[in-house]
Amino acid sequence: MIDLMTDRTHDEAKQGEAYAPFNGDPNQYRKRFYIESYGCQMNFSDSEIVASILNKEGFGATRHAEEADLIFINTCSIREKAEQTVRKRLTEFRKLKEEKKGMLVGVLGCMAERLKSKFLEEEKLVDIVVGPDAYRSLPTLVDEAEGGQKAVNVLLSRDETYADISPVRLDSNGVSAFVSIMRGCNNMCSFCVVPFTRGRERSRDAESIINECKDLFERGYSEVTLLGQNVDSYSLPLPPSQGRGTEQFFTFAMLLEKIAQIAPELRVRFSTSHPKDITDDVLHTMAKYENICKYIHLPVQSGSTKILQLMNRTYTREWYMAKVDRIRKIMPDCGISSDIIAGFCTEDEQDHQDTLSIMEYSRYDMSYMFVYSERPGTLAERRFKDDVPEEVKKRRLVEIVELQNRLSLESNRKDIGKTFKILIEGDSKRSDKDWMGRNSQNKVVVFAKEDYQLKKGDYVNVKVEDCTQATLLGKIIN
Ligand code: 5AD
Ligand code: SF4
């Protein structure tokens, strides 16, 4: 299914069941909650903040919805399909609610923000509605809902970053963790609902980010992924005495460097970059540190300057291509991936061909590919007609997916014979005799464990011997 061309980043199809394990006594908690996350990594990361807030109030997480007193669903509004998935899930929770008296259901995240109290009226199945900036009020809202009141908080904030909250790592492999560095988005891409659901951009205090990363490393994690809707616009004012040259701001490049310096064995990744904002400073910092992964998610959205303008992306086709050149010049071995939308308003065959040709030019290792889905309240919904017929959108998406499949295979074939340093994430999906890990470029590599005494979180050199379109297959090199 084409719409499932997504993985860890924007995946409303894959439901994330999250849990924090009990430590010993099952009766240590006054109530149990179950939380399920949809959408982007930011949502998964937010669920870990929610779990931390609830834990402090004496609530313990459970893996099993039927055991829970509170069910939370952390939702995504990015495409209509994402919202449909959530609605379906809510009707499934209805059954549990009927069976277990007093069970409460809460909607968190972007859909909560978008639909606000409408949720309580429309969907009689929901007791609590909380937007992305209001999670600190969850315990109070739970109390209110238990008392039979309508519990809604969808206030957006200009400064909430949850900087002081130490996330409870849910469903973690113990190797890799997400660290939120900023929230919100000021870009106003015309197709996107995020500026409305997640509010204004704000950067999290640098010290709290660095401390969280240090703490993760000390607890045995080997990789952190710095998260933000637009990480390159991370910026904090510096006291005048600390400015570097004329620079009076603590930038994303500076943050990246500080985190890379925590330990050479701690891998650093980040997502997402906006092509207009990623600086040479960031690219040079990436090149300087071996442990900053050579991988950039650089969404193009469309290859046509006309469409990019309507999307309010603020760059042209040529400008984007020059950015790709710059990345390849500074880091010839850098992996690049993209997000692509097929069938945006007024897109004609030439615009579509421009998208295909920019994909060829950029030689993406991987892409997340979507048909355009009009979202209520966005600039595009207000200004333009959603005029590309559904079957044309789908046909164009098929062509985009087929091209990406070829590009991914070509990119993987080029790696045959090369040796990469792999961070082991766990057993491969197919067999516990094989390890699965990633190289710096974020490619998945599968290889036999053989008799080596290795474990999750170890680094190992692997020589690639074969590949599929999605995976490199290799052998451990001594
Ligand atoms: N329709 C289709 N895809 C969208 N995206 C964002 N909004 C829409 C929409 N209305 C895609 C973009 C973005 C990714 C997270 O989701 O490609 O980069
Ligand atoms: Fe994440 Fe965007 Fe979906 Fe919100 S709408 S969950 S920010 S992908």
Side-chain angles (χ1 to χ4, degrees), residues 10 38-40 43 75-78 110 193-194 197-198 229:
H10 310 289
Y38 293 81
C40 61
N43 255 11
T75 61
C76 173
S77 287
I78 198 108
C110 290
V193 78
V194 171
T197 60
R198 289 192 162 262
Q229 249 77 35

Side-chain angles (χ1 to χ4, degrees), residues 10 78-79 191-192 301 339 341 370-373 375:
H10 310 289
I78 198 108
R79 282 167 291 276
F191 51 78
C192 190
Q301 312 297 1
D339 290 347
I341 298 177
F370 316 101
V371 292
Y372 172 57
S373 161
R375 305 310 293 130

